[in-house]
Amino acid sequence: MTEVQNGQVKRVSNSAIFAGCAVFVAGMVGAAYASVPLYRLFCQVTGYNGTTQRVEQYSDTILDKTIQVTFDANISPGLNWEFKPAKAVNPKIGETLQVEYTATNRSPEATTGTAVFNVTPMEAGAYFNKVECFCFTEQTLEPGQSVSMPVVFFVDPEIAKAAETKNIKTITLSYTFYPSEPGKPVAALPEGGKTEAGKL
């Protein structure tokens, strides 16, 4: 291949072209792998796409106003588990509660799953604060084993002030368990879960 530079014809070697293409492809692959954890971090910070917030402390403000919180549980194909949601609750906004999901391994061998989650309506994601949860943590169950998995949360009192959320009466927290291999990076798992209760 040739190119014109300062009025002179300069030959570009095939090896230089190949090296340039290899660097470009490597950069694109690296960007693709980085995009998943970066997107997840963006969602957790902003509440985008119904992603809940992770906090280290309880709310210090409790409003004299309740909101219904319902729970949903789903299993992705390939994971032979029974997964049951917690019962619906009606906490005061700002009140910290603990609920429990349960999972049972129905397969004849030990299997591992990892849960992803979201909140609907999506606008409520930025105000749904989880102090403790089992999301993005590998859960390995022996054959027939059942476990209870707690979720500790509160709804941020600011939800009652924001124009887009002040009229929300019900929030649904949804988890979907995907099969995984022990030690497999979480970023390699499918992203998302559901966007509507009852749908994957």
Side-chain angles (χ1 to χ4, degrees):
M1 180 178 178
T2 60
E3 63 177 8
V4 178
Q5 191 176 72
N6 297 326
Q8 296 183 341
V9 176
K10 182 180 179 180
R11 182 171 299 279
V12 180
S13 68
N14 288 338
S15 60
I17 296 172
F18 176 79
C21 291
V23 170
F24 175 77
V25 170
M28 293 299 290
V29 170
Y33 275 99
S35 65
V36 173
L38 289 176
Y39 175 77
R40 181 170 295 136
L41 177 62
F42 168 78
C43 290
Q44 290 175 341
V45 169
T46 64
Y48 179 74
N49 200 30
T51 303
T52 65
Q53 306 301 294
R54 185 70 185 267
V55 296
E56 301 296 331
Q57 61 185 18
Y58 302 145
S59 172
D60 57 4
T61 301
I62 299 177
L63 304 182
D64 190 22
K65 179 180 180 181
T66 61
I67 188 167
Q68 184 179 51
V69 182
T70 62
F71 304 93
D72 188 50
N74 302 275
I75 295 291
S76 175
L79 189 63
N80 188 15
W81 286 11
E82 181 180 25
F83 186 36
K84 295 181 179 180
K87 294 181 179 180
V89 292
N90 291 276
K92 289 184 176 180
I93 296 176
E95 179 184 4
T96 301
L97 290 184
Q98 176 173 315
V99 298
E100 292 188 352
Y101 280 70
T102 59
T104 302
N105 180 8
R106 299 186 300 186
S107 70
E109 58 186 18
T111 53
T112 301
T114 304
V116 295
F117 62 88
N118 73 343
V119 163
T120 54
M122 290 190 295
E123 294 81 4
Y127 303 95
F128 196 97
N129 295 285
K130 290 190 296 184
V131 182
E132 179 183 347
C133 76
F134 53 88
C135 48
F136 302 131
T137 301
E138 289 181 342
Q139 305 284 338
T140 299
L141 301 183
E142 298 298 324
Q145 181 183 4
S146 295
V147 294
S148 294
M149 292 173 288
V151 179
V152 180
F153 72 93
F154 65 88
V155 179
D156 191 328
E158 292 297 317
I159 197 172
K161 299 179 182 179
E164 69 274 16
T165 57
K166 65 181 181 180
N167 294 320
I168 291 177
K169 305 298 183 184
T170 301
I171 297 175
T172 299
L173 174 63
S174 176
Y175 283 93
T176 300
F177 257 108
Y178 291 92
S180 64
E181 298 176 5
K184 185 176 182 180
V186 171
L189 291 171
E191 174 69 32
K194 306 181 318 171
T195 55
E196 292 181 7
K199 297 181 181 179
L200 285 174

